[in-house]
């Protein structure tokens, strides 16, 4: 008889895990409270980021810290009360960003990122989603000479160390390649290998449809009803209680709701982000991100999606329009945006861990339970890569990537229920 599994959460990470388990012949039920791919995996920048071999560290540069503390830039913002509430976790994040520890995280991150295009390609092909994906990279644009010089030096270092390809464009070359730009920029790094997706939630939906076409089941239900059931696990859905020998928690920024319920105190936090679409009628040859200023401009099916940098706030804290307003203003300096499509910005939360690496592996205190979350800034990129890894581990196969950097037990007592 086929082995059975429950996958909790229908974002990019959960859907890809379910897909890979189904490919191994498992009887898989994916349990989602809403519709797959409508939360964080919907609202992101839609980039499959082959270049993102280094996770975002906590800044250690005094000038940058002062700029963030004084809320001078638009790339990072925070709610003081919320930052205080998660300060022990942020302190661990800061600690893990010191160069020697950070390099350990970089090694673990790069080992995943290097597979992202190949693993997405398999799923794009299987799900017939090629029309949603453009394979022409994105441009990191700069407004200051200092930023451009630092950025290009870093890009060259990434090419030397990891073989990530990029092309440096000076101000004139950028203006020629992107004639829609109104403002003169200092230059750009053109990351040519990443993909961009015109409807990120739609891509997750296609992967989910490929999963069900292959015999998988998606049911509406609440992961908070997860409990043990004889030798396995069960959860309540609108179609009744369903069970599986194994269960995977893949609830993105809501994972902690269920892990806490089970007694774990994992060092997780979120970095929130916003987007809004504009009825822009122009043409961009690739998406563009001005990371220095904190704004991304992404041609998508619903219009030009403008996204923000990171907001340090609790997941369920009220929406603040400040950072989105700042990003809109910056984008208007560069493009004729047109009117907003939505009445209010979309808000989502990147699920982060204090060492910048996702958790992928067996729950230390529960048999047959698996953790698969914490993909932070690159869960849309990494879902197929870590979905395969998680399925291989659950199935007892030799994993294609060394799983040790992501094992939940690395957090010691916090990972014990
Ligand atoms: C502004 C912004 C830009 C970003 N840009 C990029 C990018 O360009 N590239 C990239 O790779 N990443 C990007 N990210 C990060 C990326 O979006 C996330 O890492 C990724 O979407 C996380 O996927 P997930 O499946 O873990 O979580 P989610 O997509 O949030 O999925 C979790 C699912 O769990 C479900 N759920 C929650 N609670 C319950 C419950 N009780 N019962 C049942 N179901 C439940 C939710 O409904 C949801 O569908 C960005 C994020 C933001 C915010």
């Amino acid at each position: 008889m086929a082995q059975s599994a429950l996958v909790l959460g229908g974002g990019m990470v959960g859907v890809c895990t379910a897909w890979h388990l189904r490919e191994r012949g498992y009887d898989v039920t994916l349990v989602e409270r809403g519709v797959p791919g409508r939360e964080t995996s919907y609202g992101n920048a839609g980039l499959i980021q082959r270049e993102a071999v280094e996770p975002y560290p906590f800044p250690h540069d005094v000038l940058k810290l002062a700029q963030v503390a004084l809320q001078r830039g638009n790339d990072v913002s925070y709610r003081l009360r919320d930052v205080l509430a998660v300060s022990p976790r942020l302190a661990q994040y800061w600690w893990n960003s010191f160069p020697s520890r950070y390099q350990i995280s970089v090694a673990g991150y790069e080992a995943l990122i290097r597979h992202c295009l190949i693993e997405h390609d398999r799923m794009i092909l299987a799900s017939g989603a090629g029309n949603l994906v453009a394979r022409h990279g994105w441009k990191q644009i700069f407004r200051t000479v200092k930023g451009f010089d630092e950025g290009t030096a870093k890009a060259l270092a990434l090419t030397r160390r990891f073989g990530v390809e990029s092309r440096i464009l000076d101000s004139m070359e950028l203006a020629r390649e992107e004639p829609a730009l109104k403002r003169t920029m200092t230059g750009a790094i053109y990351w040519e290998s990443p993909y961009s997706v015109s409807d990120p939630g739609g891509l997750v939906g296609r992967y989910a449809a490929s999963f069900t076409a292959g015999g998988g089941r998606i049911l509406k239900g609440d992961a908070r009803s997860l409990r043990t059931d004889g030798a396995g696990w069960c959860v309540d859905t609108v179609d009744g209680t369903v069970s599986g020998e194994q269960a995977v928690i893949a609830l993105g920024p809501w994972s902690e709701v269920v892990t806490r319920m089970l007694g774990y105190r994992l060092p997780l936090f979120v970095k929130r982000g916003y987007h809004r679409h504009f009825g822009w009628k122009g043409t961009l040859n690739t998406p563009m991100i001005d990371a220095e200023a904190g704004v991304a401009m992404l041609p998508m099916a619903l219009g030009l999606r403008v996204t923000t940098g990171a907001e340090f706030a609790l997941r369920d804290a009220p929406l603040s329009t400040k950072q989105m307003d700042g990003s809109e203003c910056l984008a208007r300096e560069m493009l004729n945006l047109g009117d907003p499509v939505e009445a209010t910005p979309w808000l989502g939360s990147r699920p982060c861990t204090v060492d910048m690496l996702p958790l992928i592996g067996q729950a230390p205190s529960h048999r047959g339970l698996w953790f698969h979350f914490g993909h932070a800034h690159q869960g849309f990129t990494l879902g197929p890569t870590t979905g395969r890894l998680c399925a291989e581990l659950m199935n007892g196969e030799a994993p294609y990537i060394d799983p040790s950097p992501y094992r939940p037990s690395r957090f010691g007592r916090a990972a014990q229920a």
Side-chain angles (χ1 to χ4, degrees), residues 9-14 31-35 37-41 43-49 221-224 250-254 271-274 307-308 346 348-351 375-382:
M12 181 59 98
V13 172
V31 178
E32 163 60 48
R33 67 180 173 191
V35 174
R38 302 313 294 171
E39 291 285 356
T40 331
S41 299
N44 55 59
L47 298 173
I48 299 177
Q49 292 187 261
D222 188 344
R224 291 172 300 179
L251 296 162
W254 294 275
K271 293 185 203 171
R272 304 200 311 178
Y274 296 83
T307 68
T308 67
W346 172 90
S349 297
R350 302 171 180 91
H375 296 65
H377 290 257
Q378 268 87 38
F380 187 71
T381 297
L382 289 175

Side-chain angles (χ1 to χ4, degrees), residues 75-401:
D75 54 338
V76 181
S77 80
Y78 64 91
R79 278 168 56 96
L80 184 58
R81 186 179 341 151
D82 295 0
V83 165
L84 293 177
V86 292
S87 56
R89 292 171 185 192
L90 295 182
Q92 284 175 277
Y93 177 26
W94 170 78
W95 178 249
N96 285 317
S97 299
F98 274 100
S100 57
R101 279 175 290 276
Y102 177 61
Q103 287 311 322
I104 296 171
S105 296
V106 170
Y109 214 70
E110 193 275 334
L112 297 175
I113 287 283
R114 83 168 85 121
H115 297 278
C116 69
L117 299 182
I118 255 179
E119 294 303 325
H120 266 286
D121 276 337
R122 274 182 76 192
M123 294 188 65
I124 291 166
L125 189 67
S127 62
N131 62 321
L132 301 180
V133 182
R135 292 175 166 83
H136 52 209
W138 65 275
K139 297 189 186 82
Q140 184 176 357
I141 55 176
F142 295 88
R143 50 185 64 213
T144 68
V145 173
K146 180 173 178 287
F148 185 50
D149 289 348
E150 287 173 2
T152 50
K154 192 169 162 204
L156 292 175
L158 290 186
T159 307
R160 270 197 303 275
R161 190 166 164 206
F162 300 115
V164 179
E165 297 287 326
S166 62
R167 190 149 61 86
I168 308 300
L169 306 178
D170 65 22
S171 184
M172 302 272 284
E173 287 167 327
L174 173 59
R176 256 198 313 276
E177 293 217 11
E178 295 294 355
L181 268 176
K182 291 195 291 178
R183 184 191 194 282
T184 304
M185 303 297 290
T186 308
I189 301 168
Y190 184 2
W191 302 102
E192 292 180 290
S193 54
Y195 300 166
S196 58
V197 177
S198 59
D199 177 2
L203 185 67
V204 179
R206 296 279 184 94
Y207 290 176
S210 165
F211 161 69
T212 51
R217 211 160 25 143
I218 300 180
L219 297 180
K220 206 165 261 199
D222 188 344
R224 291 172 300 179
S225 61
L226 181 70
R227 56 199 182 274
T228 49
D229 163 25
W233 293 88
C234 68
V235 69
D236 297 334
T237 74
V238 293
D239 293 304
T241 302
V242 285
S243 53
E245 290 152 317
Q246 305 190 67
V248 188
I249 299 175
L251 296 162
W254 294 275
S255 298
E256 198 176 9
V257 174
V258 174
T259 57
R260 269 191 167 262
M261 213 181 70
L262 295 169
Y264 296 93
R265 294 291 177 267
L266 297 164
L268 309 171
F269 64 99
V270 301
K271 293 185 203 171
R272 304 200 311 178
Y274 296 83
H275 86 222
R276 201 167 193 185
H277 293 100
F278 293 86
W280 182 67
K281 297 278 179 274
T283 305
L284 278 187
N285 290 314
T286 70
M288 292 198 291
I289 301 183
D290 181 347
E292 270 183 303
V295 56
M297 296 163 292
L298 314 136
M300 293 224 179
L302 288 175
L304 188 82
R305 182 177 287 189
V306 174
T307 68
T308 67
E311 182 192 42
F312 288 83
L314 295 179
R315 189 194 57 228
D316 299 329
L319 174 149
S320 151
T321 53
K322 182 170 165 263
Q323 205 177 18
M324 187 67 237
D325 290 346
S327 294
E328 178 182 339
C329 231
L330 290 158
R332 284 196 188 284
E333 288 173 14
M334 294 185 265
L335 299 173
N336 291 319
L337 282 192
D339 294 327
V341 172
E342 301 94 353
T344 49
W346 172 90
L347 165 63
S349 297
R350 302 171 180 91
C352 300
T353 64
V354 297
D355 64 1
M356 296 155 271
L357 296 174
L359 286 101
I360 312 165
Q362 195 135 23
S365 304
H366 292 89
R367 268 192 59 199
L369 183 66
W370 296 79
F371 291 167
H372 190 193
F373 46 80
H375 296 65
H377 290 257
Q378 268 87 38
F380 187 71
T381 297
L382 289 175
T385 301
T386 63
R388 174 175 164 191
L389 178 59
C390 187
E392 287 177 347
L393 293 171
M394 291 172 70
N395 199 34
E397 295 168 42
Y400 80 126
I401 298 169

